[in-house]
Amino acid sequence: MTAPAREPHAARPRRRPLRRALGAVALVVVTVAAATSCATAGEPLSAGTTAPAMAPSPLWPGRPPAPTPSGAQHDDVTATRVPGVPEVPSGDIRKVDAYAVVKAEVAAHRHDVTGADGLDEATADKIMSCSEEAGDCPVRAPVHRDLTGDGRDDLIVGIEMGDHLLGLRCYTLVKGVLTRIMATIVQPSSIEIAGRDLIVWEPSATPHYAVRSVYSWDSHRQYMDLKSDEIRRTDITSGPPAPEPS
């Protein structure tokens, strides 16, 4: 007897489409699971659309502008040569006696109680009789930093006054001549230097806020100008925030 012929292999049903479908379903499940896992692991989520940038919109455009000031404008915030201080041919400001500098300024403006050289009588008397060795001298230890960006140190001096006020003065050498490039009176909680910026923190009347003033060298005016003056939130426990890296 002859055995029945077997079906050819090609006649068997093919299962590849079903395998592909199952593989696609598995891929979708894995993708959804991975997305869910990322969302629950603290990955950043979208905060929504960003408001479009808008150009400034002028108020009352028809209002006539203020007229240009007439006459000469006096600006008393300028660089000033310190009287009575010898020139420094070497250009090294560290050789300047900071205490002698302040004494020379007080002697030249002995009765000034307002303005850049203004000092109360008690502070002025102490300065004229103090020295670097004196423990009660109101002149703080001098600080040397490059404020003008010329690669050479400049001089920063603080003068302690009544009511927690501080006379803050800065000096540089201009062709060997000692020149004052900043003079102001502040009531600081702290003073910092970031790069070439001089930063003064002062208490604010608003709790947990402080006034942050930044003074920077203006190469055109050849003076330390008030670059910014703003009120900032402070850390309730540690005072003014740490300065940003320069």
Side-chain angles (χ1 to χ4, degrees):
M1 179 180 295
T2 305
R6 297 181 178 181
E7 287 188 12
H9 179 71
R12 295 178 182 176
R14 304 180 65 180
R15 298 182 179 181
R16 289 183 181 178
L18 179 58
R19 290 178 181 175
R20 291 178 181 176
L22 292 175
V25 171
L27 179 60
V28 171
V29 172
V30 171
T31 304
V32 172
T36 305
S37 174
C38 290
T40 58
E43 290 293 326
L45 300 176
S46 173
T49 57
T50 304
M54 300 181 66
S57 178
L59 300 181
W60 310 299
R63 182 180 181 275
T68 303
S70 58
Q73 300 298 307
H74 178 66
D75 185 0
D76 58 358
V77 187
T78 55
T80 306
R81 176 172 179 170
V82 180
V85 177
E87 293 188 7
V88 184
S90 66
D92 185 3
I93 203 168
R94 290 178 177 268
K95 295 182 178 180
V96 175
D97 185 346
Y99 299 89
V101 170
V102 177
K103 285 184 178 182
E105 290 182 325
V106 172
H109 304 275
R110 186 64 181 82
H111 301 292
D112 287 8
V113 294
T114 60
D117 288 283
L119 292 174
D120 59 273
E121 288 293 332
T123 302
D125 289 341
K126 286 182 179 179
I127 289 174
M128 296 307 293
S129 61
C130 80
S131 63
E132 184 176 357
E133 293 77 18
D136 61 344
C137 186
V139 180
R140 286 276 183 176
V143 178
H144 298 91
R145 293 291 181 88
D146 180 12
L147 298 174
T148 63
D150 62 358
R152 299 183 302 176
D153 281 338
D154 300 301
L155 173 64
I156 306 172
V157 172
I159 304 172
E160 293 289 351
M161 303 166 61
D163 297 326
H164 304 285
L165 296 173
L166 181 77
L168 187 59
R169 304 181 182 185
C170 301
Y171 308 83
T172 191
L173 287 174
V174 180
K175 296 181 179 180
V177 176
L178 187 68
T179 304
R180 191 172 70 188
I181 55 174
M182 177 180 167
T184 187
I185 296 176
V186 295
Q187 195 173 27
S189 53
S190 66
I191 301 177
E192 305 163 343
I193 294 181
R196 297 200 303 270
D197 289 343
L198 191 60
I199 304 173
V200 179
W201 289 92
E202 297 181 84
S204 169
T206 305
H208 313 314
Y209 283 83
V211 179
R212 181 180 184 268
S213 304
V214 181
Y215 297 86
S216 298
W217 174 250
D218 187 326
S219 58
H220 297 286
R221 298 185 62 242
Q222 297 290 295
Y223 199 81
M224 292 287 290
D225 266 341
L226 180 60
K227 179 180 178 181
S228 66
D229 195 21
E230 58 186 352
I231 297 179
R232 283 197 177 186
R233 174 81 177 181
T234 59
D235 187 289
I236 297 175
T237 58
S238 61
E244 298 176 357
S246 60

